[in-house]
Amino acid sequence: MTTPLSALKLAAAKAPIVPVLVVASVEEAAPLAKALLEGGLTIAEVTLRTPAGVAAIEAMKKAAPELLVGAGTVLTGEDVRNSLSAGADFLVSPGMSPGLLAALGEHKRLMIPGVGTASEAMSRHEEGFELLKLFPASVAGGIPALKAFAGPLPHLQFMPTGGVSVDNAGDYLALSNVIAVGGSWIATQADVDAGNWAGITEKAKAALRAVGK
């Protein structure tokens, strides 16, 4: 059955690196989207850590409709509503709370919730979430934890974020239960603030080369 995250999984098969972005000004959004696309990336996550986050999602979608743009750091029902109104293709949260779970309603399958333990992963799966984010990956056990999860929980898929870099992204992606990795090194806030679009494009290309894409 086709689900809202199916497109993300297909996009990740082509380019499994997801830049986690902090955008301070909406004017940065369009050139940033184009720089990522030129670098071969297919997915981006814009965090809602700045007042410009929601508007940046909308601007990136308009500038590069083929780029899947998700909203990160989604914590409340208001975040859910604002992100979806802006055209977000998916939602990402560092964890899950009863309030956020209730607020998602029929949009649950758009969410990639963060988990740090096997019990949390099992609970999120029972609640109907299709893809999970090991977060923060480096603190929650990283590659060894994901390898351990794969044995008793082979039906679960992950997009680890937090401590992922160009040096270890390939090791994460070699795991059978990892479909993509998220990281902030491709387009740092300093890069974005400086308008270093060419540099961002080159780092995107280098990241994909590093993982054999």
Side-chain angles (χ1 to χ4, degrees):
M1 182 176 67
T2 300
T3 64
L5 287 179
S6 296
L8 187 146
K9 293 177 182 179
L10 288 173
K14 298 177 182 177
I17 306 290
V18 180
V20 179
L21 310 169
V22 178
V23 182
S25 170
V26 68
E27 286 76 20
E28 300 166 340
L32 174 58
K34 292 174 183 176
L36 296 173
L37 207 58
E38 188 175 344
L41 299 186
T42 58
I43 310 168
E45 175 188 334
V46 178
T47 65
L48 302 186
R49 299 176 193 173
T50 72
V54 171
I57 292 170
E58 185 173 8
M60 289 180 72
K61 287 301 298 180
K62 287 181 179 177
E66 60 269 56
L67 185 70
L68 294 183
V69 182
T73 323
V74 174
L75 306 177
T76 66
E78 184 178 8
D79 289 341
V80 172
R81 292 188 294 273
N82 290 342
S83 298
L84 295 179
S85 294
D89 294 298
F90 61 96
L91 308 170
V92 185
S93 176
M96 186 51 56
S97 67
L100 180 57
L101 180 62
L104 284 168
E106 62 183 11
H107 303 297
K108 186 186 300 183
R109 288 190 172 184
L110 289 175
M111 173 63 80
I112 305 171
V115 300
T117 67
S119 292
E120 289 179 352
M122 291 169 63
S123 295
R124 300 294 82 81
H125 180 70
E126 287 181 3
E127 290 161 354
F129 295 101
E130 299 177 18
L131 179 61
L132 308 176
K133 176 176 78 164
L134 184 67
F135 179 80
S138 60
V139 176
I143 291 169
L146 288 163
K147 284 182 177 178
F149 288 167
L153 305 171
H155 53 291
L156 301 184
Q157 294 181 304
F158 294 87
M159 184 178 77
T161 305
V164 179
S165 69
V166 68
D167 297 319
N168 62 19
D171 295 328
Y172 275 101
L173 291 168
L175 302 178
S176 60
N177 55 352
V178 173
I179 70 162
V181 295
S184 59
W185 81 91
I186 291 174
T188 65
Q189 188 169 2
D191 285 330
V192 176
D193 290 344
N196 185 20
W197 313 127
I200 289 170
T201 293
E202 288 308 311
K203 283 195 283 185
K205 290 179 178 179
L208 292 177
R209 287 195 299 269
V211 300
K213 294 291 184 179

